[in-house]
Amino acid sequence: EIVLTQSPATLSLSAGERATLSCRASQSVSSNLVWYQQKFGQAPRLLMYEASNRATGIPARFSGSGSGTDFTLTISSLEPEDFAVYYCQQRTNWPLTFGGGTKIEIK
Amino acid sequence: QVQLQESGPGLVKPSETLSLTCTVSGGSLSSYYWTWIRQPPGKGLEWIGCIYYSGTTDYNPSLKSRVTISVDTSKNQFSLELSSVTAADTAVYYCARQRGNIGWFDPWGQGTLVTVSS
């Protein structure tokens, strides 16, 4: 099973600041890495697929990068609606697995 | 656009079987994989398993011995059964469309909380 480790667990930032989230895989997943956003009390929402492709309707302030074992999700300038938990997911091997999440909280 | 809605009992007794149904509207089950994911309160996400519209399934090995996922294309529904539940199975259960047989999940249902308690 591929283990995904997200860091940091919590990010305390202000609106307008840049957020950088990390996801590290226990073995190479090539570019088969996906990001989701989950707001409190809601289902996760697809943000990025194949590491760097924005899903439909996702603003350009969200960007993804990386390949192999190290991946980054960047939010260039935080909007109030971006404070949420972010999960990465790999789609290289069964079983499909998620990282433990990074919470972006208001500083 | 495709929408998914989970339904089923919110309370299940220990050792019994958890049963949930996901109803898909705005589109057909055809040509897609459909999946179940769960999230214990305050914790992360766990993929349970998926089913192709034709009936082929894949399960998470950690749950495989207790999980059955089935599909009813005539009703545009797919279902989850999890047997011999314990308190550790208490979670929000989500259904979602899975893009490809080893893909990502979009869209998701709103989720339903299932509590295992006597």
Side-chain angles (χ1 to χ4, degrees):
Chain A
E1 174 175 316
I2 295 177
V3 176
L4 299 177
T5 302
Q6 292 189 241
S7 61
T10 304
L11 208 46
S12 298
L13 296 169
S14 302
E17 290 193 293
R18 182 184 187 90
T20 303
L21 289 67
S22 173
C23 177
R24 177 165 290 177
S26 59
Q27 63 189 77
S28 177
V29 298
S30 186
S31 295
N32 299 322
L33 197 284
V34 186
W35 290 95
Y36 301 90
Q37 175 194 65
Q38 186 178 33
K39 297 180 181 179
F40 183 78
Q42 297 184 17
R45 174 177 72 145
L46 177 68
L47 280 182
M48 316 283 303
Y49 59 94
E50 306 300 63
S52 60
N53 295 284
R54 279 190 301 277
T56 302
I58 302 303
R61 64 180 180 273
F62 291 89
S63 63
S65 63
S67 65
T69 61
D70 290 299
F71 299 87
T72 300
L73 176 70
T74 302
I75 309 172
S76 59
S77 178
L78 283 165
E79 296 288 338
E81 62 267 29
D82 299 337
F83 291 90
V85 181
Y86 293 81
Y87 293 96
C88 57
Q89 176 230 327
Q90 63 81 20
R91 64 174 214 91
T92 288
N93 281 357
W94 300 109
L96 304 176
T97 52
F98 294 89
T102 290
K103 180 181 180 181
I104 302 180
E105 65 176 23
I106 299 174
K107 186 175 181 181
Chain B
Q1 66 194 37
V2 171
Q3 293 184 310
L4 297 89
Q5 178 68 58
E6 305 88 351
S7 60
L11 181 64
V12 181
K13 289 183 168 55
S15 79
E16 295 190 344
T17 296
L18 178 160
S19 297
L20 295 174
T21 295
C22 182
T23 301
V24 178
S25 59
S28 167
L29 294 182
S30 297
S31 304
Y32 284 101
Y33 286 81
W34 302 90
T35 202
W36 288 97
I37 294 159
R38 70 180 183 178
Q39 184 173 36
K43 296 189 178 180
L45 299 160
E46 180 180 33
W47 176 75
I48 298 170
C50 66
I51 189 165
Y52 194 48
Y53 78 101
S54 62
T56 304
T57 54
D58 280 295
Y59 300 133
N60 191 323
S62 68
L63 297 168
K64 188 173 183 176
S65 63
R66 299 193 292 131
V67 172
T68 302
I69 297 176
S70 58
V71 64
D72 187 339
T73 53
S74 67
K75 295 181 179 179
N76 237 32
Q77 295 176 334
F78 62 104
S79 298
L80 168 70
E81 289 193 339
L82 180 65
S83 63
S84 304
V85 297
T86 70
D89 295 310
T90 294
V92 175
Y93 286 77
Y94 296 101
C95 60
R97 185 174 65 182
Q98 182 171 311
R99 305 304 292 265
N101 70 331
I102 185 162
W104 59 83
F105 313 114
D106 179 57
W108 297 56
Q110 67 184 26
T112 188
L113 174 62
V114 179
T115 301
V116 178
S117 175
S118 55

